Amino acid sequence: MNSNITIYDVAREAAVSMATVSRVVNGNPNVKPSTRKKVQDAIDQLGYRPNAVARGLASKKTTTVGVIVPDISNIFFADLARGIEDVATMYKYNIILCNSDQNREKEIHLLNTLLGKQVDGIIFMGGRLHEDLVREFKTSPVPIVLAATLNQDYDLPAVNIDYESAAYDAVKSLIDHGHKRIGFITGPLEQQINGEKKFAGYRNALEEANLPFDEQNVVLGNYTYDSGMKAMNQLLELGEDCPRAIFAGTDEMALGVIHALQDAGHRVPEDFEVIGHDNTRLATMIRPKLTTVVQPMYDIGAVSMRLLTKILNQEEIETNDVTLPHRIEHRDSTRSS
Amino acid sequence: MNSNITIYDVAREAAVSMATVSRVVNGNPNVKPSTRKKVQDAIDQLGYRPNAVARGLASKKTTTVGVIVPDISNIFFADLARGIEDVATMYKYNIILCNSDQNREKEIHLLNTLLGKQVDGIIFMGGRLHEDLVREFKTSPVPIVLAATLNQDYDLPAVNIDYESAAYDAVKSLIDHGHKRIGFITGPLEQQINGEKKFAGYRNALEEANLPFDEQNVVLGNYTYDSGMKAMNQLLELGEDCPRAIFAGTDEMALGVIHALQDAGHRVPEDFEVIGHDNTRLATMIRPKLTTVVQPMYDIGAVSMRLLTKILNQEEIETNDVTLPHRIEHRDSTRSS
DNA sequence: CCTTCATTGTAAAACGTTTTCATTCGCTAT
DNA sequence: ATAGCGAATGAAAACGTTTTACAATGAAGG
């Protein structure tokens, strides 16, 4: 029931002006300790809770940031969101979370809704930046940082890993194990990270090892377990020509791959080696445990948010475009050396 | 750059008053079509975007609801959040998402932050309702609905399944397969749902079948895969007395159980039967696929949010305390009949 | 042609803060 | 004493809407 008591009530109770109350609420040092105490007592007694909306209107700061992700129910994005939220909390921000489903109109609509709500900044993750969206980004009155989202051609603040080199490393390690044919199971090609970067890394590794690129070794999935199974079964139909080493674009697809293999009576890693991507918790919940490229989504989220706070505080920033390190976590779906 | 243009600018541009602009923006029918068009043109031309903060201050509605969950990075809560967000979107609300980590002080602090931000309502999920928290709930100026959170003694709006009966069903089905000793792996006992309800269901089923309750058959985990493994290994140490049927309180723990079993050379479901709880996506990503109690988190989220909108719109409400149906999804970690 | 009532538009008062600027207070240094 | 000064306080103007109370306009009925 303390929702209707205002700064003015507190002022009256403490026999000061509302400006003074505002000062103590905001920690302004120019308040005599005795006055501060008087005001604080009144606040406690009345159960005063500052109205953030009014505050936002007056100060033009809402201490709220918008977060747009494709789908929070996906463990991958959920991890990112947690990273964002944790550092947001640290800096006293709240998060308005939105799911875009990678839908172009929805992305734009959400962006506008968030701007309408006067968020202080936005963190965006999506598969590909469309022109319209970039145009909106460019004219945004508040800073926007891209998380795990590619940014070429535009110079928006962004946090990523080097996907191409990560994919290269993964495929390279497979090649180092003597494989001549490497299967590659990835997501939709129009997705920049999966379709372009990882693919490029795959080809680079092949090329460097003087291995031929064979189109039938790459198959498209949609990130899900089922699509991983399906893709592997498709590969299996190649018979003799089926690659014995698979790089899957996500852990979930890698799981599907391994199970498809096992269902067909093959052993992993003895007969087939499999590398995943992302290092979600899934990776350790399968037998054999999954060797995978670690893409630290939590960290990407945390760093993105930190970058955003730096921009908001006008702190010194080394670079707008940060690349986090990646590595391969070797587990049991690949042979040990 | 359209962030600084106000309703007043639009009014001037369209040669009407700001109230008229407000009317067209809010879809008030009392505006002459020609006027409406004139205003709309001005809005489009200027790129006017209503300031939701000012709007919130004037109207005392923010079209924002607060969501407090333990940890969004957990697939389980993420699913809930998605359900909430989807119907929130449907009703034009946005979501401020907060992670409580089930921490008592944090829960209270978050609640107050959200109330300070003038959310129109709150959806809360937590393990147990502490007294202080309930007190805050009771005096909240906005409605609060509990999602997948027990509510006994207090009459807060809530959406749940019948956990006790769900656990009963699961254990019963194990008993029906002829098992005399049933293992039960659950979460911390102070959690109401896991420690009390599911436990009660377990005991009921035992009792009804005239099976003795044996304390050594129940072991506590912390919901994680690892704790599931550990728990199962502990059970295995019972040797001859080890139960051959396990009910795990979460799918993730069930995964751990199955792998612990397999690592020890046992077969599931031939030697051991396992039932999980929640029916997360994990359940189909393991071999054998997991038989599990389905707790429809997405639906719980969606229904919670819908309930909240009903309260906010003062719609007729049959019951404050909705119980969603549950069922057992029979897959391959239990025998077929 | 005058009333009367809808319809549409206007002006101004909230909404609850922050912030700017002015004022007062309490001292110190003359 | 008193001018001068910094610290503490207060008054009032934003902030950008919604909403209320009216005023103006126009149409219809008598």
Side-chain angles (χ1 to χ4, degrees):
Chain A
M1 291 306 136
N2 45 12
S3 69
N4 47 351
I5 88 118
T6 75
I7 200 174
Y8 191 70
D9 298 319
V10 176
R12 179 153 22 78
E13 178 77 15
V16 297
S17 74
M18 55 191 290
T20 301
V21 177
S22 175
R23 285 194 188 94
V24 351
V25 167
N26 292 292
N28 183 317
N30 282 355
V31 180
K32 190 161 57 174
S34 69
T35 309
R36 180 182 305 280
K37 170 149 188 356
K38 206 168 50 172
V39 172
Q40 192 58 57
D41 288 349
I43 287 175
D44 293 344
Q45 200 207 314
L46 265 37
Y48 168 67
R49 178 191 300 133
N51 181 326
V53 172
R55 213 197 273 236
L57 182 58
S59 69
K60 296 176 165 300
K61 302 214 168 310
T62 54
T63 60
T64 302
V65 312
V67 174
I68 300 178
V69 296
D71 175 13
I72 191 64
S73 71
N74 184 316
I75 188 171
F76 187 60
F77 307 125
D79 239 19
L80 178 91
R82 185 51 140 118
I84 294 171
E85 223 267 335
D86 279 356
V87 354
T89 300
M90 209 171 293
Y91 286 85
K92 313 272 190 210
Y93 285 94
N94 287 108
I95 288 298
I96 297 185
L97 183 84
C98 308
N99 299 110
S100 71
D101 292 316
Q102 308 245 33
N103 180 100
R104 199 166 161 159
E105 284 85 44
K106 218 165 162 183
E107 286 174 341
I108 291 190
H109 174 251
L110 288 173
L111 176 63
N112 278 299
T113 304
L114 289 174
L115 292 178
K117 295 228 168 174
Q118 312 299 116
V119 294
D120 293 340
I122 291 177
I123 294 183
F124 178 90
M125 167 161 189
R128 170 176 287 275
L129 262 30
H130 302 283
E131 279 208 1
D132 323 11
L133 194 56
V134 172
R135 194 174 327 115
E136 304 266 355
F137 282 175
K138 291 282 188 181
T139 62
S140 165
V142 301
I144 295 178
V145 357
L146 265 26
T149 299
L150 254 21
N151 182 24
Q152 53 200 26
D153 308 338
Y154 323 108
D155 57 340
L156 297 165
V159 179
N160 287 284
I161 65 169
D162 184 339
Y163 306 100
E164 183 171 332
S165 131
Y168 170 91
D169 291 348
V171 175
K172 176 75 158 49
S173 83
L174 258 12
I175 291 173
D176 288 348
H177 284 196
H179 292 280
K180 301 295 179 204
R181 272 196 282 266
I182 315 268
F184 177 43
I185 299 176
T186 186
L189 286 186
E190 70 275 13
Q191 303 260 308
Q192 229 156 352
I193 288 174
N194 292 283
E196 295 174 16
K197 292 298 180 181
K198 288 182 189 169
F199 194 37
Y202 170 74
R203 296 195 66 151
N204 287 164
L206 251 38
E207 197 167 322
E208 198 194 69
N210 285 315
L211 260 22
F213 169 75
D214 186 345
E215 207 169 74
Q216 68 182 1
N217 289 340
V218 0
V219 7
L220 268 35
N222 64 356
Y223 306 130
T224 63
Y225 174 82
D226 286 339
S227 79
M229 284 196 76
K230 216 173 118 208
M232 189 62 231
N233 285 325
Q234 181 178 329
L235 248 22
L236 247 15
E237 282 172 12
L238 264 31
E240 268 309 298
D241 288 347
C242 175
R244 300 280 164 155
I246 313 289
F247 172 45
T250 68
D251 286 348
E252 199 175 320
M253 289 197 295
L255 276 205
V257 167
I258 288 178
H259 281 156
L261 253 10
Q262 291 173 338
D263 286 356
H266 300 294
R267 290 168 309 162
V268 177
E270 294 83 354
D271 305 332
F272 286 79
E273 293 191 88
V274 178
I275 292 193
H277 194 287
D278 294 347
N279 194 33
T280 54
R281 306 185 60 202
L282 285 179
T284 59
M285 297 190 200
I286 184 178
R287 292 308 151 87
K289 287 181 186 153
L290 188 65
T291 293
T292 192
V293 173
V294 357
Q295 175 177 13
M297 290 308 282
Y298 179 92
D299 295 349
I300 291 180
V303 171
S304 302
M305 184 64 209
R306 179 62 186 108
L307 177 56
L308 183 55
T309 62
K310 280 186 187 167
I311 297 172
L312 291 172
N313 298 337
Q314 322 228 44
E315 292 177 37
E316 196 60 41
I317 293 168
E318 329 78 64
T319 170
N320 243 359
D321 196 344
V322 0
T323 301
L324 261 27
H326 65 270
R327 64 188 166 81
I328 295 183
E329 180 73 35
H330 289 282
R331 286 192 274 247
D332 308 329
S333 65
T334 51
R335 290 179 225 126
S336 53
S337 102
Chain B
M1 291 307 138
N2 46 13
S3 71
N4 46 350
I5 87 116
T6 75
I7 199 173
Y8 190 71
D9 298 319
V10 176
R12 179 154 22 78
E13 178 77 15
V16 297
S17 75
M18 56 190 289
T20 302
V21 177
S22 176
R23 282 198 187 95
V24 350
V25 168
N26 293 291
N28 184 316
N30 283 354
V31 179
K32 190 162 54 177
S34 69
T35 308
R36 180 183 305 281
K37 171 149 190 351
K38 203 168 53 176
V39 172
Q40 192 58 57
D41 289 348
I43 287 175
D44 293 343
Q45 200 207 313
L46 266 38
Y48 168 67
R49 178 191 298 134
N51 180 325
V53 171
R55 209 197 275 238
L57 182 59
S59 68
K60 295 178 165 298
K61 303 216 168 310
T62 53
T63 60
T64 302
V65 311
V67 174
I68 301 177
V69 296
D71 175 13
I72 192 64
S73 70
N74 184 316
I75 188 171
F76 188 60
F77 306 125
D79 238 18
L80 179 90
R82 184 50 138 119
I84 295 171
E85 224 266 337
D86 279 357
V87 355
T89 300
M90 209 171 296
Y91 286 85
K92 315 271 189 210
Y93 285 94
N94 287 109
I95 289 296
I96 296 184
L97 183 84
C98 308
N99 299 109
S100 70
D101 293 316
Q102 308 244 32
N103 180 101
R104 199 166 162 157
E105 282 87 41
K106 218 164 163 185
E107 285 174 342
I108 292 189
H109 174 251
L110 288 173
L111 178 63
N112 277 300
T113 304
L114 289 173
L115 292 177
K117 294 227 169 175
Q118 311 300 116
V119 294
D120 294 339
I122 291 177
I123 293 184
F124 178 90
M125 168 162 187
R128 169 175 288 274
L129 263 31
H130 301 284
E131 279 209 2
D132 323 11
L133 193 56
V134 173
R135 195 173 327 116
E136 303 266 355
F137 282 174
K138 291 284 189 181
T139 62
S140 166
V142 301
I144 294 178
V145 355
L146 266 26
T149 299
L150 254 22
N151 180 25
Q152 53 200 25
D153 309 337
Y154 323 107
D155 58 341
L156 297 166
V159 179
N160 287 283
I161 64 170
D162 184 338
Y163 306 100
E164 182 171 334
S165 131
Y168 170 91
D169 291 348
V171 175
K172 176 74 159 47
S173 83
L174 260 11
I175 292 173
D176 287 349
H177 284 194
H179 293 279
K180 301 294 178 204
R181 270 195 283 267
I182 315 269
F184 177 42
I185 298 177
T186 187
L189 287 185
E190 69 274 15
Q191 304 259 306
Q192 230 157 350
I193 289 175
N194 291 284
E196 295 176 16
K197 292 298 178 180
K198 289 183 188 168
F199 195 37
Y202 170 75
R203 296 196 65 152
N204 287 165
L206 253 36
E207 197 167 320
E208 197 194 69
N210 285 315
L211 261 21
F213 168 75
D214 186 345
E215 206 168 76
Q216 69 183 1
N217 288 340
V218 1
V219 8
L220 267 36
N222 64 354
Y223 306 130
T224 63
Y225 174 83
D226 286 340
S227 79
M229 285 195 76
K230 214 173 120 209
M232 189 64 231
N233 284 327
Q234 182 179 329
L235 248 22
L236 248 14
E237 281 172 12
L238 264 32
E240 269 308 296
D241 288 347
C242 175
R244 301 279 163 154
I246 311 291
F247 172 45
T250 67
D251 286 347
E252 198 174 322
M253 289 195 295
L255 277 205
V257 166
I258 288 177
H259 281 156
L261 252 11
Q262 290 173 338
D263 286 356
H266 300 294
R267 291 168 309 163
V268 178
E270 293 83 352
D271 306 332
F272 285 79
E273 294 192 88
V274 178
I275 292 192
H277 194 287
D278 294 347
N279 194 35
T280 53
R281 306 185 60 202
L282 285 180
T284 58
M285 297 190 200
I286 184 178
R287 291 309 151 85
K289 287 182 186 152
L290 188 65
T291 293
T292 191
V293 173
V294 357
Q295 174 175 15
M297 291 308 280
Y298 179 91
D299 295 349
I300 291 180
V303 171
S304 302
M305 184 64 209
R306 180 62 186 109
L307 178 56
L308 183 55
T309 63
K310 281 185 186 168
I311 298 173
L312 291 172
N313 298 337
Q314 321 227 43
E315 291 177 38
E316 196 59 42
I317 292 168
E318 328 78 65
T319 171
N320 244 359
D321 196 345
V322 0
T323 300
L324 261 26
H326 65 270
R327 64 189 165 79
I328 294 182
E329 180 74 35
H330 290 281
R331 285 191 274 247
D332 308 329
S333 65
T334 51
R335 290 178 224 129
S336 52
S337 101

